[in-house]
Each structure stands twice: as structure tokens, then as C-alpha cells.
Amino acid sequence: MLRRLLAATMCAAVLLPSAGLFPAAMAQQAPTLNVYNWSDYIDPKAVERFQQETGIQVRYDVFDSLETLEGKLSAGRSGYDVIVPTSEPTFARLIRAGALRPLDRAALPNWNNQDATLLRRVESSDPGNRHGAIYLYGSVGLGIRPDKVRAVLPDAPLDSLDLLMKPENVKALAGCGIAVMDSAIDVLPSVLRWLGKDPNSTDAADLRAAEQAMLAIRPHVRAITASGSILDALATGEYCVAMTYSGDVIQAKARAAEAGRGVDIAYVQPKEGAQLWFDMLAIPADAPHPDAAQRFINFLLQPEVMAGITNEVRYPNAIPAATPLVDDAVRGDPNVYPTPEMLGRSFTAEALGPQAERARSRLWSRFKAGR
Ligand code: N2P
């Protein structure tokens, strides 16, 4: 008996020191996952829960525009395992360049939680939906402070891009702060649409018209900056008109209401028709941890996880079973979940050729420089 007890104690004694070392050794071997997502675009609790459930450590970096994401990816060896490109144009371009790894559906049992109609919609960039699951979607429009705008322009329509694009409006509003997110990809199509042109036009005369319109408002624009900074500044009341992503405006509105300093913010989905976009969960071809990436994507495709994300970031997801779990106020907001009528007026960007992209980015540089 004593011998057995002793043996057990010895065993414990031998094991104990190594048990102390065990977590460190484990940590070294614990898989990590490198995520590159948009700023203000996840529920931090979802990431924590994923880490706890799987033991996978998440390293989470953020970007603010498709231009930044494309720059990082085109350099190669980004080191990222999961990225979140917009279906058109970036996701489509990355697929064509062979830069994404096809998903392994067998490792994604939650794949079928996605709305089949929305999946068909993003098939134009990814035939067969082989390279990406839908994360969230939304539109491009204006974040405004209705009281400030009304004070300066009592008769201006609050549902149109006229607020930003008509020089007389923007001139009158310059004092209360005008901002435009720094992204040719996500701003130019709406400007072309406002001019009555094809948002995906590559025609030189159309682009000249867009450039003229943008240069005409440029002197009154306070900031052309990262979408993430626009969200922060909108929330503190620094801008009365800002062109950016829908949910960013609605997050700013919620933050401002919470701060209780009388900053009231509204989202305007332009009546001319808004740019609609879908952001995809995708895995770079050279991802160092593709298995962990698949687990993360599968984890996100759960209704309760997605509902938590939509509640936090105010963008709709593509999982119908998540909708009843979303807060009433968020679910009932047509600026979060667009109405069929809004969807009918919306358009999507297309992946243009490299020459057209270069022309657009030159135009953008001139807009930023103001000449
Ligand atoms: C999140 C930005 C939304 C993504 N801050 C636009 N595709």
C-alpha cells in the first residue's frame, strides 16, 4: 500500500514539474490564426469565444479600404489566413489571379446556413461559390447630422447625393465638416451614378465628368481619409456630411446617442441608387494555417455568432436563421437590412481591367490633391 502510494507520489513529483512547463510547450504548438478584416467589423466576443472553444490564438489586424487590402495581398506572402475582400471587385480579382485557396466544403458544415439567393448573387465574382462565404453586406451612402444640415439648408433634400455633390450645397455645409472616405473603388461608382452615368463606366469622357464634379467640391471637403477615422469623427460630431459605409454610420449614430451630447446622426441611402457590396470570408492561397482558417469561417457561419456580429456592427449577414436573434431595432432598421425597394435601386461595382483601374486611381490622386 505504502509502496503504491509512494509510487503515486513519485509519479506526481515527476509529472509536476513537467506539468508546470506543459502550458508553455502547448502555447508554442498551439495553432494561430492570422485574420485581416475591416476595422469596426466584428463582435470581439466572437473572437474570444472562438479562441476558448478551439484553443487557436487569433492575431487580428484591420484595414480601412479595399485599396489597402489589395496592396497588402498583391505583395504576396501576407501571412494572413483569413481575409475579407468585397466580392466585386477585390474578391473577383484575387480569384482570377489565383491568390485564393478554394474552400473545403467538407470542413464547413455550417455552409448551408447561408441564404441561397445571396450566394447566387455573389456567384458573378466566384462561379460555384468555391472561394468564399458571405460575411456581411451593406451599402455606400452619407452619414449626416440632420439638424446641422437643416440649419444651413432648410430645403435641401435629405435623401440624395446632392448634399455632397452639388457645389452650392457643399459650400454652404463646409463649415460643419465634410468628409469622404479614401477609396476610389467605393466612392467613384456612386459619383458616376449621380451624374446619370454607368457606375462601372470606363469611358474617358465619363471619368472626366466625374473628375470635374469631384474637383468642384474638393475645396469644401475637410477630410479624405480612412473609413475608420470617419466613423470615430462622425460619432463625436466633427462632420455634418460624410460619405462612407452604411453600418459605420449606424455605429457612429449609436455611439453618439450613448455619449448623450446631442449629436444626432442619420444614414442616407442615396435615392439615385446606392452601391451595394458583399464582403467575403476567404483564405489566401499561401495562408500558413488553412485548417484553422476553415474552422474560423465555419464558426462564424453559426446563427447566434452572426446575430451577435450584426448587433455589434450594424451590418446585415447572410444567415436567415440569425435574423430572429438580431435585436428588434437593428433588424427593423431599413438602413441595416435594406428593403426590396432599396435593393432594386442599388447597383454593384464590377472588377474593371488594370488600365481602367489605373485611370480611376489617377483621378483619385488628383481629387485628393485638389488639382
Ligand atoms: C467596416 C467597413 C465595411 C466594409 N468598418 C465595406 N465593405
Side-chain angles (χ1 to χ4, degrees):
M1 175 70 197
L2 187 68
R3 276 182 64 146
R4 244 191 289 155
L5 202 72
L6 244 176
T9 319
M10 288 251 317
C11 224
V14 171
L15 271 177
L16 266 176
S18 55
L21 291 174
F22 200 55
M26 276 261 285
Q28 251 173 27
Q29 282 160 16
T32 47
L33 176 75
N34 301 298
V35 176
Y36 196 37
N37 195 0
W38 294 84
S39 56
D40 303 291
Y41 213 39
I42 200 153
D43 175 9
K45 291 192 291 296
V47 178
E48 275 162 39
R49 200 180 126 190
F50 174 77
Q51 296 190 131
Q52 263 157 21
E53 281 180 16
T54 61
I56 296 171
Q57 286 303 308
V58 177
R59 216 194 76 217
Y60 195 92
D61 287 346
V62 296
F63 57 89
D64 284 291
S65 72
L66 289 172
E67 282 83 354
T68 305
L69 172 65
E70 289 187 12
K72 193 63 140 243
L73 265 284
S74 67
R77 294 170 158 263
S78 67
Y80 291 117
D81 298 303
V82 174
I83 56 170
V84 191
T86 303
S87 73
E88 297 281 0
T90 305
F91 178 62
R93 269 206 276 272
L94 291 172
I95 294 170
R96 263 176 243 152
L100 297 182
R101 183 186 173 101
L103 300 178
D104 173 10
R105 292 272 185 91
L108 297 173
N110 293 326
W111 176 268
N112 289 328
N113 290 344
Q114 293 173 93
D115 183 315
T117 313
L118 293 179
L119 275 176
R120 270 197 298 280
R121 199 173 166 143
V122 295
E123 259 199 294
S124 56
S125 45
D126 183 22
N129 297 119
R130 291 178 59 236
H131 299 85
I134 302 174
Y135 182 52
L136 300 167
Y137 63 100
S139 59
V140 174
L142 302 177
I144 65 167
R145 292 184 67 183
D147 51 347
K148 296 278 170 194
V149 174
R150 279 264 166 271
V152 181
L153 297 169
D155 302 322
L158 295 189
D159 60 352
S160 164
L161 217 54
D162 283 358
L163 275 183
L164 174 74
M165 294 308 303
K166 281 201 166 161
E168 64 271 27
N169 289 348
V170 84
K171 187 172 178 197
L173 292 164
C176 61
I178 309 284
V180 175
M181 63 174 157
D182 188 3
S183 170
I185 296 174
D186 279 336
V187 171
L188 257 180
S190 299
V191 173
L192 285 161
R193 177 67 164 243
W194 177 78
L195 286 165
K197 316 270 186 212
D198 170 5
N200 292 302
S201 177
T202 55
D203 182 83
D206 289 351
L207 291 183
R208 257 196 315 278
E211 179 168 338
Q212 268 163 17
M214 298 183 79
L215 287 175
I217 65 162
R218 179 64 185 96
H220 313 296
V221 175
R222 188 182 294 169
I224 301 165
T225 188
S227 57
S229 336
I230 292 190
L231 196 172
D232 294 340
L234 254 181
T236 53
E238 271 178 56
Y239 305 130
C240 63
V241 175
M243 183 165 183
T244 191
Y245 303 115
S246 51
D248 283 28
V249 175
I250 305 165
Q251 282 182 60
K253 177 184 170 70
R255 273 197 222 167
E258 218 165 281
R261 290 203 198 95
V263 175
D264 181 35
I265 292 165
Y267 178 66
V268 172
Q269 193 171 118
K271 69 160 191 253
E272 294 81 14
Q275 179 174 344
L276 191 75
W277 44 261
F278 292 83
D279 286 337
M280 310 301 298
L281 296 162
I283 307 178
D286 59 0
H289 312 102
D291 293 340
Q294 294 260 152
R295 286 181 77 179
F296 187 61
I297 293 173
N298 192 56
F299 171 85
L300 292 175
L301 294 178
Q302 298 175 93
E304 68 281 10
V305 173
M306 268 300 180
I309 293 173
T310 290
N311 280 331
E312 179 79 19
V313 302
R314 318 294 167 114
Y315 286 98
N317 61 71
I319 302 220
T323 314
L325 309 174
V326 170
D327 295 344
D328 285 348
V330 176
R331 184 163 28 126
D333 184 344
N335 289 321
V336 181
Y337 283 88
T339 61
E341 199 259 323
M342 282 168 155
L343 287 177
R345 269 183 298 147
S346 69
F347 63 86
T348 38
E350 282 166 19
L352 309 170
Q355 219 181 334
E357 283 303 338
R358 273 198 298 277
R360 285 181 171 221
S361 83
R362 279 196 300 271
L363 185 168
W364 194 253
S365 306
R366 288 192 293 267
F367 170 55
K368 284 176 77 173
R371 64 197 140 79

